[in-house]
C-alpha cells in the first residue's frame, strides 16, 4: 500500500482498490495499483538537493560554437532553499517581430484543430461536389501520409523565437550532470489544454545534454494535418509502450504527459491537478527499457489556454477518454487558439532508477508477478514524493505559492 508522503500541501482524492493490469495502449486509463487515497496535509520535508540551477533558455544563443559557455551565460544558481519569490515567473522581453512570428506560428498550428474541419464542412456546403470531394481527399492524404523525423528542425530559428515567447526556463538540482545520465523516460506534466513544454523540451534538451527527444503524442493529434507534420518532424511518436521503449533503446530520451486527455479537464481547477494515480503504463516503459524515470513539472502550462466542455455533468470528458480524442473548446490570446504569453518554467528532480525486467505473462509464477508489482509500487511512491517536493519547493519562486498540488 502507498504510504503517506511527506511534503506540504499535497492532497490525494478519491479511493480505489487493487487491480491487475494488461498491456499499455496509449498511456490512458490504466487500472489502479492498490492505492488508498485520502486527504492529507503532511509536515514539510527538506529537498535532497544541495542547491538549484536555472537555465534561462530564452536567452540561450544556439549559434555559438562554445555551447558550454553559452549555457553558463544563461545559468543562475541558488541554495537548497530554492530561488527567491517570483524570479522563476518573470516574462521575457521579445521584439514586435518575434511576437508576430510566434502568433502566426501558433495560429497556424493550433488553428488547424478548428480550421480543417470547418474547411471540410464549408467545402461540402459551398463548393461543387467534385471539388469538395477533392478537398476531403487532400485532407485525408495529409492525415495519413508517412512522415519522417527531422532532428534539425529543433535548431530552426522558429524554435528560438518560441522559447523566448514562452520565457522558457529549466530548473534542476545543482549537482545534476545531464551529460552523464544517458537516455531516460521523462514524465512532463501537466498536460493542460496542450503541453507546450513537450515542444520546448525537444528544442532545448539537445542544448543541455546532447541527447535528442522522441516524445509520445496521442494518435488523434498525430492525425491532424499541420499539427502532425510539425510534431512528427520534431520527433514525436505515437504514444505506445513499444514506441517509447524503442526510442530509448535507440539512444533517445522519451517522455509523456502522464495525465493525458484527463489532464485537459482539470485546467479550470483552482489548484494544480495531476492525474497519475492510475497510470501504471508510465512505470512499465521505464522498467522494460531499464532506464531511470525523470520527473518534471512545468509551471504555467495550465494558464496558457482557457477551455470549456459544457460544465459540470457534461459527457464530453468521458466521451473524450472513451474515443481517445479531445472533445472541448479552447481559446487563448485574442480569443484565438494562440497561447497566452505566460512564462513556462520546467523543474526537474533527480532521476529515479528502475530495475529492468519484463512484464510477467498471465501464467507467470506468483513470485515474478509480486516482484513486478512491488517495483511499480516503489516507483509510484518515489514519483509522487518527487512531485510533491518539486512543486512545493519552487511554487513560490514561480509566483503561485497559494496553490496546492492534487493527485488524482
Amino acid at each position: 500500500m502507498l504510504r503517506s508522503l511527506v511534503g506540504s500541501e499535497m492532497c490525494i482524492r478519491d479511493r480505489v482498490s487493487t487491480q491487475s493490469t494488461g498491456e499499455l495502449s496509449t498511456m490512458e486509463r490504466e487500472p489502479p495499483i492498490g492505492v488508498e487515497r485520502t486527504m492529507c496535509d503532511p509536515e514539510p520535508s527538506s529537498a535532497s538537493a544541495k542547491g538549484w540551477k536555472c537555465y534561462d533558455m530564452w536567452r540561450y544563443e544556439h549559434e555559438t560554437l562554445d555551447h558550454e559557455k553559452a549555457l553558463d551565460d544563461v545559468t543562475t544558481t541558488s541554495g537548497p532553499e530554492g530561488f527567491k519569490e517570483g524570479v522563476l515567473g518573470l516574462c521575457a522581453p521579445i521584439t514586435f517581430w518575434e511576437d508576430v512570428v510566434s502568433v502566426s506560428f501558433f495560429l497556424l498550428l493550433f488553428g488547424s484543430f478548428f480550421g480543417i474541419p470547418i474547411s471540410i464542412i464549408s467545402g461540402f456546403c459551398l463548393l461543387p461536389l467534385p471539388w469538395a470531394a477533392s478537398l476531403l481527399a487532400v485532407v485525408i492524404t495529409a492525415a495519413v501520409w508517412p512522415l519522417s523525423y527531422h532532428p534539425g528542425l529543433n535548431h530552426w530559428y522558429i524554435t528560438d523565437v518560441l522559447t523566448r515567447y514562452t520565457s522558457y526556463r529549466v530548473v534542476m538540482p545543482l549537482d545534476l550532470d545531464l551529460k552523464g545520465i544517458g537516455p531516460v523516460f521523462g514524465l512532463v506534466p501537466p498536460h493542460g489544454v496542450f503541453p507546450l513544454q513537450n515542444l520546448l523540451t525537444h528544442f532545448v534538451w539537445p542544448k543541455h545534454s546532447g541527447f535528442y527527444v522522441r516524445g509520445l503524442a496521442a494518435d488523434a493529434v498525430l492525425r491532424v494535418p499541420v499539427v502532425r507534420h510539425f510534431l512528427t518532424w520534431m520527433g514525436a511518436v505515437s504514444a505506445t509502450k513499444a514506441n517509447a521503449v524503442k526510442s530509448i533503446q535507440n539512444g533517445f530520451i522519451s517522455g509523456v504527459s502522464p495525465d493525458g486527455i484527463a489532464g485537459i479537464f482539470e485546467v479550470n481547477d483552482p489548484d494544480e491537478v495531476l492525474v497519475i494515480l492510475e497510470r501504471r503504463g508510465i512505470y512499465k516503459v521505464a522498467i522494460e527499457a531499464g532506464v531511470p524515470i525523470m520527473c518534471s513539472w512545468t509551471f504555467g502550462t495550465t494558464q496558457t489556454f482557457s477551455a470549456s466542455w459544457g460544465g459540470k455533468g457534461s459527457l464530453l470528458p468521458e466521451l473524450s477518454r472513451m474515443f481517445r480524442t479531445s472533445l472541448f473548446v479552447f481559446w487563448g490570446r485574442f480569443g484565438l487558439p494562440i497561447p497566452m504569453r505566460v512564462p513556462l518554467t520546467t523543474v526537474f528532480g533527480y532521476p529515479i532508477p528502475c530495475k529492468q525486467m519484463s512484464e510477467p505473462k498471465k501464467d507467470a509464477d506468483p513470485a515474478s508477478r509480486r516482484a513486478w508489482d512491488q517495483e511499480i509500487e516503489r516507483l509510484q511512491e518515489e514519483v509522487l514524493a518527487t512531485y510533491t517536493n518539486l512543486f512545493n519547493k519552487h511554487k513560490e519562486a514561480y509566483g503561485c505559492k497559494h496553490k496546492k498540488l492534487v493527485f488524482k
Side-chain angles (χ1 to χ4, degrees):
M1 299 296 289
L2 181 66
R3 297 186 296 272
S4 296
L5 300 175
V6 179
S8 63
E9 299 182 311
M10 187 279 291
C11 301
I12 302 178
R13 293 176 180 169
D14 306 327
R15 306 175 78 86
V16 298
S17 59
T18 305
Q19 297 181 13
S20 61
T21 62
E23 288 294 319
L24 173 71
S25 56
T26 57
M27 306 296 176
E28 290 291 334
R29 298 181 62 78
E30 290 288 348
I33 70 169
V35 181
E36 182 176 3
R37 309 177 196 182
T38 58
M39 297 298 295
C40 55
D41 186 15
E43 294 296 321
S45 67
S46 59
S48 58
K50 298 178 180 179
W52 299 88
K53 53 187 173 185
C54 174
Y55 299 116
D56 288 338
M57 297 309 300
W58 61 270
R59 294 196 292 125
Y60 182 83
E61 297 292 340
H62 81 277
E63 295 180 353
T64 180
L65 296 177
D66 189 347
H67 293 283
E68 291 292 340
K69 184 179 185 304
L71 275 179
D72 288 342
D73 290 342
V74 301
T75 303
T76 55
T77 61
S78 77
E81 72 281 357
F83 293 91
K84 294 182 179 179
E85 182 174 1
V87 300
L88 298 182
L90 297 175
C91 211
I94 59 174
T95 65
F96 175 75
W97 171 246
E98 290 172 338
D99 199 17
V100 170
V101 170
S102 299
V103 166
S104 301
F105 170 83
F106 285 126
L107 190 58
L108 175 65
L109 184 70
F110 296 125
S112 61
F113 287 115
F114 301 99
I116 290 175
I118 290 174
S119 297
I120 294 174
I121 294 172
S122 300
F124 277 94
C125 291
L126 303 175
L127 298 176
L129 185 58
W131 289 18
S134 298
L135 174 62
L136 179 60
V138 169
V139 171
I140 292 175
T141 301
V144 300
W145 191 268
L147 299 173
S148 301
Y149 170 44
H150 295 287
L153 180 148
N154 297 299
H155 298 278
W156 286 3
Y157 167 74
I158 186 63
T159 65
D160 290 335
V161 174
L162 298 181
T163 302
R164 286 192 286 274
Y165 181 89
T166 55
S167 311
Y168 192 53
R169 297 175 176 87
V170 173
V171 176
M172 60 186 60
L174 189 60
D175 56 349
L176 188 59
D177 180 13
L178 292 179
K179 292 185 177 180
I181 292 175
V184 297
F185 184 63
L187 304 183
V188 287
H191 188 285
V193 168
F194 188 92
L196 287 176
Q197 68 272 18
N198 290 8
L199 301 182
L200 297 167
T201 51
H202 281 78
F203 304 158
V204 307
W205 204 259
K207 302 178 179 69
H208 280 269
S209 63
F211 288 99
Y212 283 79
V213 180
R214 301 299 303 270
L216 304 181
D219 286 337
V221 173
L222 294 179
R223 286 290 175 257
V224 180
V226 180
V227 175
R228 75 180 292 260
H229 288 74
F230 187 81
L231 295 187
T232 303
W233 290 339
M234 86 177 180
V237 295
S238 178
T240 66
K241 180 175 68 174
N243 282 340
V245 173
K246 181 179 178 181
S247 296
I248 293 169
Q249 291 174 340
N250 287 337
F252 294 98
I253 292 171
S254 183
V256 68
S257 296
D259 39 354
I261 292 174
I264 295 172
F265 300 100
E266 302 294 344
V267 296
N268 294 333
D269 195 291
D271 290 314
E272 295 288 347
V273 177
L274 177 53
V275 182
I276 194 173
L277 291 177
E278 298 179 10
R279 302 299 205 249
R280 281 177 74 99
I282 58 180
Y283 308 111
K284 292 180 182 181
V285 170
I287 294 173
E288 293 203 14
V291 297
I293 291 176
M294 195 158 188
C295 298
S296 70
W297 179 268
T298 301
F299 291 95
T301 296
T302 56
Q303 302 169 40
T304 54
F305 289 106
S306 298
S308 177
W309 48 88
K312 189 175 182 180
S314 172
L315 294 176
L316 292 183
E318 187 59 33
L319 290 174
S320 296
R321 298 184 187 100
M322 184 183 304
F323 295 110
R324 301 190 184 281
T325 190
S326 307
L327 303 174
F328 70 110
V329 177
F330 70 93
W331 63 94
R333 198 172 171 190
F334 313 124
L336 297 172
I338 302 167
M340 298 290 188
R341 275 220 68 206
V342 177
L344 298 182
T345 299
T346 300
V347 296
F348 287 91
Y350 288 107
I352 301 172
C354 299
K355 297 177 182 178
Q356 186 172 20
M357 62 180 80
S358 297
E359 182 175 7
K361 297 181 179 179
K362 292 183 179 179
D363 58 351
D365 63 278
S368 298
R369 172 59 62 182
R370 186 164 54 251
W372 174 265
D373 290 339
Q374 287 175 347
E375 179 66 2
I376 288 182
E377 290 185 19
R378 179 190 71 82
L379 291 174
Q380 187 183 47
E381 284 195 40
E382 294 198 33
V383 165
L384 297 185
T386 297
Y387 275 118
T388 301
N389 285 330
L390 284 177
F391 186 85
N392 291 326
K393 173 64 67 175
H394 300 289
K395 66 179 184 178
E396 183 173 347
Y398 182 78
C400 60
K401 63 181 180 181
H402 60 287
K403 288 192 173 187
K404 295 181 294 185
L405 178 60
V406 178
F407 296 125
K408 283 187 177 181

